Coordinates of all heavy atoms in Angstrom, one line a residue:
H20 N 115.2 94.5 204.2 CA 113.8 94.6 204.4 C 113.4 95.7 205.4 O 112.2 96.0 205.5 CB 113.2 93.2 204.8 CG 112.8 92.4 203.7 ND1 113.5 91.3 203.3 CD2 111.6 92.3 203.0 CE1 112.9 90.7 202.3 NE2 111.8 91.3 202.1
F21 N 114.3 96.1 206.3 CA 114.0 97.1 207.2 C 113.5 98.4 206.4 O 114.0 98.8 205.5 CB 115.2 97.6 208.0 CG 115.5 96.7 209.2 CD1 116.8 96.3 209.4 CD2 114.5 96.3 210.1 CE1 117.1 95.5 210.6 CE2 114.8 95.6 211.2 CZ 116.1 95.1 211.5
S22 N 112.4 98.9 207.0 CA 112.0 100.2 206.4 C 111.1 101.0 207.5 O 110.4 100.4 208.3 CB 111.0 99.8 205.3 OG 110.4 101.0 204.7
V23 N 111.3 102.3 207.5 CA 110.5 103.2 208.2 C 110.0 104.3 207.3 O 110.7 104.9 206.6 CB 111.3 103.8 209.4 CG1 110.4 104.8 210.2 CG2 111.9 102.8 210.3
R24 N 108.7 104.5 207.3 CA 108.1 105.5 206.5 C 107.0 106.3 207.2 O 106.4 105.7 208.1 CB 107.4 104.8 205.3 CG 108.3 104.1 204.3 CD 109.4 105.0 203.7 NE 110.3 104.4 202.7 CZ 111.4 104.8 202.3 NH1 111.9 105.9 202.8 NH2 112.1 104.2 201.4
Y25 N 106.7 107.5 206.7 CA 105.6 108.3 207.3 C 104.4 107.9 206.4 O 104.4 108.3 205.2 CB 106.0 109.8 207.2 CG 104.9 110.7 207.7 CD1 104.3 110.5 209.0 CD2 104.4 111.6 206.8 CE1 103.3 111.4 209.4 CE2 103.3 112.5 207.2 CZ 102.8 112.3 208.5 OH 101.8 113.2 208.9
R26 N 103.5 107.3 207.0 CA 102.2 106.9 206.3 C 101.1 107.1 207.2 O 100.5 106.2 207.9 CB 102.3 105.4 205.9 CG 103.2 105.1 204.7 CD 102.8 105.7 203.4 NE 103.6 105.3 202.3 CZ 104.8 105.8 202.0 NH1 105.3 106.8 202.7 NH2 105.5 105.3 201.0
P27 N 100.6 108.3 207.4 CA 99.5 108.6 208.4 C 98.2 107.9 208.1 O 97.4 107.7 208.9 CB 99.4 110.1 208.3 CG 100.0 110.5 207.0 CD 101.0 109.6 206.8
G28 N 98.0 107.5 206.8 CA 96.8 106.8 206.4 C 96.8 105.4 206.6 O 95.8 104.7 206.4
F29 N 97.9 104.8 207.1 CA 98.0 103.3 207.3 C 97.0 102.9 208.5 O 97.1 103.4 209.5 CB 99.4 103.0 207.6 CG 99.5 101.5 208.0 CD1 99.4 100.5 207.0 CD2 99.8 101.1 209.3 CE1 99.6 99.2 207.4 CE2 100.0 99.8 209.7 CZ 99.8 98.8 208.7
E30 N 96.2 101.9 208.2 CA 95.3 101.4 209.2 C 95.5 99.9 209.3 O 95.3 99.1 208.3 CB 93.9 101.6 208.8 CG 93.5 103.1 208.7 CD 92.0 103.4 208.4 OE1 91.3 102.3 208.2 OE2 91.7 104.5 208.2
P31 N 96.0 99.4 210.4 CA 96.3 98.0 210.6 C 94.9 97.2 210.6 O 93.9 97.7 211.1 CB 96.9 97.8 211.9 CG 96.5 99.1 212.7 CD 96.4 100.2 211.6
Y32 N 94.9 96.0 210.0 CA 93.6 95.3 209.9 C 93.4 94.6 211.2 O 94.3 93.9 211.8 CB 93.8 94.2 208.8 CG 92.6 93.2 208.8 CD1 91.3 93.7 208.5 CD2 92.9 91.9 208.9 CE1 90.3 92.8 208.5 CE2 91.9 91.0 208.9 CZ 90.6 91.4 208.7 OH 89.5 90.5 208.6
E33 N 92.2 94.7 211.7 CA 91.8 94.1 213.0 C 90.7 93.0 212.7 O 89.6 93.3 212.5 CB 91.3 95.1 214.0 CG 92.3 96.2 214.4 CD 93.5 95.6 215.1 OE1 93.3 94.5 215.7 OE2 94.5 96.3 215.3
P34 N 91.1 91.7 212.7 CA 90.1 90.7 212.4 C 89.0 90.6 213.4 O 89.3 91.0 214.6 CB 90.9 89.5 212.2 CG 92.1 89.7 213.1 CD 92.4 91.2 213.0
D35 N 87.9 90.1 213.0 CA 86.8 89.8 214.0 C 87.2 88.5 214.8 O 88.3 88.0 214.6 CB 85.5 89.8 213.4 CG 85.3 88.7 212.4 OD1 86.2 87.7 212.4 OD2 84.4 88.8 211.5
E36 N 86.3 88.1 215.7 CA 86.5 86.9 216.4 C 86.8 85.7 215.6 O 87.4 84.8 216.1 CB 85.4 86.7 217.4 CG 84.0 86.5 216.8 CD 83.3 87.7 216.5 OE1 83.9 88.8 216.7 OE2 82.1 87.7 216.1
T37 N 86.3 85.6 214.4 CA 86.4 84.4 213.6 C 87.8 84.5 212.9 O 88.4 83.4 212.5 CB 85.4 84.3 212.5 OG1 85.5 85.4 211.5 CG2 84.0 84.4 213.2
G38 N 88.4 85.7 212.7 CA 89.6 85.9 211.9 C 89.5 85.6 210.4 O 90.5 85.6 209.7
V39 N 88.2 85.5 210.0 CA 87.9 85.3 208.5 C 87.3 86.5 207.9 O 86.4 87.1 208.5 CB 86.9 84.0 208.4 CG1 86.7 83.8 206.9 CG2 87.5 82.8 209.0
P40 N 87.9 87.0 206.8 CA 87.4 88.2 206.1 C 85.9 87.9 205.6 O 85.6 86.8 205.2 CB 88.3 88.4 205.0 CG 89.0 87.1 204.7 CD 89.0 86.4 206.0
D41 N 85.1 88.9 205.6 CA 83.7 88.8 205.1 C 83.7 88.9 203.6 O 84.7 89.3 203.0 CB 82.8 89.7 205.8 CG 83.1 91.2 205.6 OD1 83.8 91.5 204.6 OD2 82.8 92.0 206.5
A42 N 82.5 88.8 203.0 CA 82.3 88.9 201.6 C 82.9 90.2 201.0 O 83.5 90.3 200.0 CB 80.9 88.6 201.2
A43 N 82.6 91.4 201.7 CA 83.0 92.6 201.3 C 84.5 92.8 201.3 O 85.1 93.4 200.3 CB 82.4 93.7 202.1
E44 N 85.1 92.2 202.3 CA 86.6 92.3 202.4 C 87.3 91.5 201.3 O 88.3 91.9 200.7 CB 87.0 91.8 203.8 CG 86.7 92.8 204.9 CD 86.9 92.2 206.3 OE1 86.9 91.0 206.4 OE2 87.1 93.0 207.2
I45 N 86.7 90.3 201.0 CA 87.2 89.4 200.0 C 87.1 90.1 198.7 O 88.0 90.1 197.8 CB 86.5 88.1 200.0 CG1 86.8 87.3 201.3 CG2 86.9 87.2 198.7 CD1 86.1 86.0 201.5

């Protein structure tokens, strides 16, 4: 499972204070 890749477009998801995705994200 180890993997290292060059992915400059990767954006980690940062949840809001509720931790619940909104309608658009769903």
Side-chain angles (χ1 to χ4, degrees):
H20 270 103
F21 274 137
S22 179
V23 180
R24 297 298 187 198
Y25 176 58
R26 292 291 189 276
F29 174 72
E30 297 180 5
Y32 173 60
E33 297 295 341
D35 60 22
E36 62 274 7
T37 69
V39 179
D41 60 26
E44 291 171 334
I45 292 174

